[in-house]
Amino acid sequence: MTSHDGERAPRVCSRRAFLRSLALLPFAASLPACAGGLATPGAPQELQTTTFCFDTACTLRGVMTQDVLDGVVELCRTFERLLSRTIDGSDVGRINATAGTSVEVDPRTAELIRLALGYCRESDGLFDITIGSVSELWDFKGGIVPDPAQIEAALPHVDYTKVQVEGNLVTLLDADARLDLGGIAKGYIADALIAQLREAGVTSAFVNLGGNVMVMGGRPDGSP
């Protein structure tokens, strides 16, 4: 449109176009904030997960990538498959099922048994990993409690000196003895999880395996 003096008049925006522009303003204003708030894929961040292993809740928390957290969870499950006495085919399950015969186990299982036997000796048998012949008499889920006669019959088979470890070969010399690593396994596993996190470059982490707690570094926000 041209004015009377020959100059071009300013273009007037239609009502519809004006309203459309207003509708887009909130979206446009949010773009910088959205771009700045996006997490960088694969970047370390504070993560937490709780999984069920070893018949208990296991919580893992720390500043790490999702891949690192997933790897630690998988390590938990690996140890459960190796050390649980109630999982068919576990190292401990195979040792107990073939008591009197040498069983080749994972190097980590052999290492833990050697470590545990050291504590058995230091405590003069007050801590004994062959307590399984007694502990298996209880069924807490089924509410079964053994009678005193059953316990008395099982006690003679609690003797850590009947466990032999040669390399990765483990032998229970008493065919009625049973391994139960529940008194040491979670602490050993927590150490292994922290070691894997540290190797991955994590500097702040919290591991709780059913009350067996390990921590590394300080809180991510620096608070006490």
Side-chain angles (χ1 to χ4, degrees):
M1 183 173 65
T2 305
S3 64
H4 294 295
D5 57 6
E7 294 183 1
R8 189 173 184 83
R11 186 175 181 180
V12 178
C13 181
S14 70
R15 183 173 182 272
R16 179 178 296 178
F18 177 71
L19 292 175
R20 187 183 298 119
S21 299
L22 287 179
L24 291 173
L25 281 176
F27 174 75
S30 69
L31 287 177
C34 289
L38 289 175
T40 304
Q45 54 189 307
E46 189 170 2
L47 299 174
Q48 175 174 320
T49 189
T50 298
T51 187
F52 194 80
C53 285
F54 325 115
D55 287 329
T56 191
C58 300
T59 299
L60 310 168
R61 183 171 70 241
V63 178
M64 64 192 81
T65 65
Q66 187 63 51
D67 285 347
V68 170
L69 181 61
D70 291 344
V72 174
V73 171
E74 182 54 35
L75 183 57
C76 265
R77 292 175 178 154
T78 296
F79 275 119
E80 181 180 40
R81 291 191 293 268
L82 292 175
L83 304 176
S84 173
R85 67 181 178 86
T86 60
I87 294 179
D88 292 339
S90 72
D91 281 352
V92 172
R94 291 188 299 114
I95 293 168
N96 288 340
T98 57
T101 304
S102 296
V103 176
E104 186 170 4
V105 299
D106 186 278
R108 291 165 291 189
T109 303
E111 178 187 49
L112 175 56
I113 293 175
R114 277 192 293 268
L115 179 65
L117 289 174
Y119 290 122
C120 292
R121 288 188 291 270
E122 288 181 20
S123 67
D124 197 23
L126 294 178
F127 174 75
D128 196 316
I129 58 173
T130 59
I131 192 66
S133 58
V134 174
S135 60
E136 70 179 7
L137 297 176
W138 274 263
D139 182 351
F140 295 103
K141 293 179 180 178
I144 297 175
V145 178
D147 59 51
Q150 290 177 294
I151 298 173
E152 286 298 321
L155 281 173
H157 304 292
V158 179
D159 184 356
Y160 70 90
T161 65
K162 300 296 178 64
V163 182
Q164 287 187 348
V165 184
E166 297 179 356
N168 294 329
L169 292 177
V170 180
T171 309
L172 277 178
L173 300 179
D174 180 351
D176 292 316
R178 297 291 183 270
L179 284 184
D180 184 344
L181 300 176
I184 190 174
K186 291 188 186 72
Y188 175 85
I189 294 165
D191 283 340
L193 299 183
I194 289 292
Q196 179 161 307
L197 288 169
R198 185 175 286 115
E199 186 176 343
V202 176
T203 58
S204 174
F206 169 87
V207 173
N208 183 356
L209 306 181
N212 293 265
V213 176
M214 286 284 293
V215 296
M216 176 176 62
R219 293 177 182 269
D221 61 3
S223 63

